């Protein structure tokens, strides 16, 4: 409780610095390995079809199941991060995805391989939200967009390793040796994670979950831990979802991420080899181009969004528009095969999908307090993976139904993009209005006003206005709440 007459102290930003970079790098290394494991099937899709004797729909089920587990775990993982902390969740994730990758290497049957990919997806799901949480706990808020983009960039570097390293190793030493050997990387990152990673800097500990719960609403009696836990879960999800910024973040992620995800995760290699007649080497080079473009554009997007928040919507919608335009040009090109220049342009534009999807977190982050960041990030992160799952399955089904007509199968991209754009346009006004009002109110609330010392008062005279010369007083009545009332959860302004 604040002493009478004193203004509440604003929450201090984390300090950043060299130690923050070191701790964050450990978390990002775990995410890097998780992405290598996640995308390893993208360069082994045709080999997997031969090894397990499956068609396109069954092949798509590998990635579909992995993403289904990943997306389904996002809210539970967000709640776990908020409740248990980053280190415990990341450690569990590293163990699960390492066991899953090893199991995939040794699986003798399609069913066992599916189970291994599901386990891998469960562990993978625990990594990215944890890394986002490390960024918010160890770095100042103004660094948030850049740290998120850098994390995404490192993830794409993992994708690059899959394309450039795992693919030739797979064809050189065989399935079991390649996947089992890659699983060693999981053990390598587990050691520094257990020994050195910390959830937050000293002096920046979050309030215990029970204290936050008590502050938000009257909790159950002591000893009713089950009810308290259930109340915490429901409250975290309800309050996060009630924010238009969280929902806008989900739809931005939904609309921007999936075209590149589907291309890199499974269908890019078959499309380039079977539909476009390219060699595996050339197709691998184009997949590498997507990753390289993603890494370059990630730095650009992070700098732009960090300096100009108003650029978020134009960047997201511009990326969606360019992606749709290039896909339409490739699929509608007369003749059996699109020219190489057009395929290169498509891959360059697909590289912007990952950085654009990170903008979704830049809407959810300011809309939620620190104790809800994990849950809000989990909700946002579900968007792109739900869209990716839908597209992966639909493309596989349509390929089987149409005799491998990739033009019809990939037309699914336009349907989901149209749905996502409609939701972004619907939610952007209430989300941005609420964000602007909250920021303005925060600025007023955290700036104390100092009254200049008046002229000397004659001996025995009264102090003018009852204020000691040079004394401070708390914040003036908030003009923002009168001039710019906070909208409610539906985006309507209050009275």
């Amino acid at each position: 409780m604040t002493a009478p007459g004193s203004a509440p102290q604003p929450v201090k930003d984390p300090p950043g610095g060299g130690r923050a970079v070191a701790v964050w790098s450990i978390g990002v290394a775990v995410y890097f390995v998780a992405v290598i494991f996640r995308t390893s099937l993208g360069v082994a899709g045709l080999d997997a079809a031969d090894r397990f004797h499956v068609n396109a729909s069954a092949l798509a089920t590998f990635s579909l199941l992995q993403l289904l587990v990943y997306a389904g775990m996002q809210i539970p993982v967000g709640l776990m991060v908020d409740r248990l902390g980053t280190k415990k969740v990341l450690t569990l994730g590293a163990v699960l995805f390492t066991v899953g990758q090893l199991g995939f290497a040794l699986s003798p049957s399609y069913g066992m391989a599916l189970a291994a990919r599901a386990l891998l997806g469960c562990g993978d799901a625990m990594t990215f939200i944890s890394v986002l949480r490390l960024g918010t706990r160890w770095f100042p808020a103004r660094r948030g967009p850049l740290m998120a983009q850098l994390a995404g960039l490192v993830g794409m570097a993992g994708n690059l390793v899959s394309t450039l390293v795992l693919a030739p190793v797979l064809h050189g030493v065989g399935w079991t040796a390649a996947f089992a050997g890659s699983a060693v990387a999981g053990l390598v990152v587990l050691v520094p994670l257990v020994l050195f990673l910390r959830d937050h800097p000293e002096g920046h500990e979050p309030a215990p979950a029970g204290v936050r719960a008590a502050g938000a609403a009257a909790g159950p009696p002591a000893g009713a831990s089950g009810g308290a836990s259930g109340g915490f879960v429901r409250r975290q999800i309800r309050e996060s979802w009630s924010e238009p910024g969280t929902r806008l973040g989900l739809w931005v992620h939904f609309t921007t991420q999936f075209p590149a995800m589907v291309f890199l995760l499974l269908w890019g290699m078959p499309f380039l080899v079977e539909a476009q007649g390219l060699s595996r080497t050339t197709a691998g080079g184009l997949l590498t181009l997507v990753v390289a473009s993603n890494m370059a554009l990630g730095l650009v997007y992070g700098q732009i969004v960090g300096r100009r928040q108003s650029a978020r919507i134009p960047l997201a919608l511009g990326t969606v528009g360019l992606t749709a335009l290039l896909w339409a040009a490739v699929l509608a090109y007369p003749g059996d095969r699109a020219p190489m220049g057009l395929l290169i342009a498509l891959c360059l534009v697909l590289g912007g999908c990952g950085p654009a999807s990170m903008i979704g977190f830049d809407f959810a982050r300011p809309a939620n307090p620190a104790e809800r960041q994990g849950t809000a990030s989990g909700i946002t992160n579900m968007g792109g993976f739900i869209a990716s799952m839908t597209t992966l399955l639909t493309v596989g089904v349509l390929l089987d139904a149409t005799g491998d007509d990739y033009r019809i199968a990939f037309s699914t991209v336009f349907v989901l993009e149209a749905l996502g754009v409609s939701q972004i346009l619907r939610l952007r006004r209430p989300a941005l209005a609420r964000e602007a009002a909250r920021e303005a109110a925060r600025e007023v609330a955290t700036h104390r006003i100092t009254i200049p010392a008046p002229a000397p008062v004659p001996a025995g005279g009264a102090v003018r206005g009852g204020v000691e010369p040079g004394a401070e007083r708390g914040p003036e009545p908030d003009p923002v709440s009168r001039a710019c009332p906070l909208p409610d959860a539906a985006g309507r302004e209050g009275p």
Side-chain angles (χ1 to χ4, degrees), residues 148-175:
Q149 290 288 355
L150 287 175
L153 186 151
V154 173
M156 291 310 296
N159 202 325
L160 194 63
V161 169
S162 293
T163 305
L164 296 180
V165 178
L166 186 60
V169 169
L170 177 65
H171 298 135
V173 303
W175 180 280

Side-chain angles (χ1 to χ4, degrees), residues 242-275:
S242 70
E243 291 290 346
T246 304
R247 302 198 300 276
L248 177 60
L250 180 147
W251 283 107
V252 168
H253 200 268
F254 176 101
T255 314
T256 53
Q257 187 202 46
F258 79 94
M261 175 70 73
V262 169
F263 196 79
L264 291 171
L265 198 60
L266 184 61
W267 291 122
M269 180 70 78
F271 169 73
L272 295 172
V273 172
E274 297 178 352

